[in-house]
């Protein structure tokens, strides 16, 4: 966990560690999906305003580029889920 402040804005980096081999089989992919969902819910509960996915955590086969996380989060969420590309993160 990285926890830094930029001009009074708190920024944290959480890592859900998986390797390429975890994305090859359905059972492993289900474990990865579950871990990303748990991390997303934890971020929401912690009050995260923006959740940026990155690298393989935004794979279409995993969660549809983040769309698959929306049903996992509360319907009245204040957490925005973004794809994680640098331009997307900068726009938020």
């Amino acid at each position: 966990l990285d926890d830094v402040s930029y001009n009074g804005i708190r920024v944290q980096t959480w890592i859900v560690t998986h390797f390429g081999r975890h994305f090859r089989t359905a059972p492993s992919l289900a474990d990865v999906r579950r871990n990303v969902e748990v991390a997303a819910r934890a971020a929401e509960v912690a009050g995260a305003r923006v959740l940026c996915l990155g690298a393989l955590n935004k794979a279409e086969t995993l969660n549809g580029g983040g769309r698959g996380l929306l049903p996992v989060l509360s319907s009245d969420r204040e957490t925005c889920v973004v794809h994680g590309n640098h331009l997307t993160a900068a726009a938020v």
Side-chain angles (χ1 to χ4, degrees):
L1 169 71
D2 285 336
D3 192 358
V4 296
S5 180
Y6 293 107
N7 293 328
I9 298 173
R10 186 177 183 194
V11 178
Q12 290 185 333
T13 303
W14 296 10
I15 298 174
V16 178
T17 306
H18 292 284
F19 302 98
R21 63 184 159 85
H22 296 125
F23 293 83
R24 291 187 192 140
T25 65
S28 292
L29 191 60
D31 289 340
V32 173
R33 183 178 298 114
R34 197 168 24 259
N35 287 343
V36 172
E37 290 172 354
V38 167
R41 283 193 300 270
E44 179 184 32
V45 169
R49 295 188 356 216
V50 179
L51 174 63
C52 297
L53 303 174
L56 295 173
N57 292 324
K58 63 182 178 196
E60 288 294 321
T61 57
L62 181 65
N63 58 35
R67 289 184 305 276
L69 292 175
L70 298 180
V72 173
L73 301 174
S74 62
S75 59
D76 61 342
R77 70 185 166 280
E78 294 186 14
T79 303
C80 299
V81 178
V82 297
H83 201 263
N85 295 335
H86 289 91
L87 183 56
T88 303
V92 172

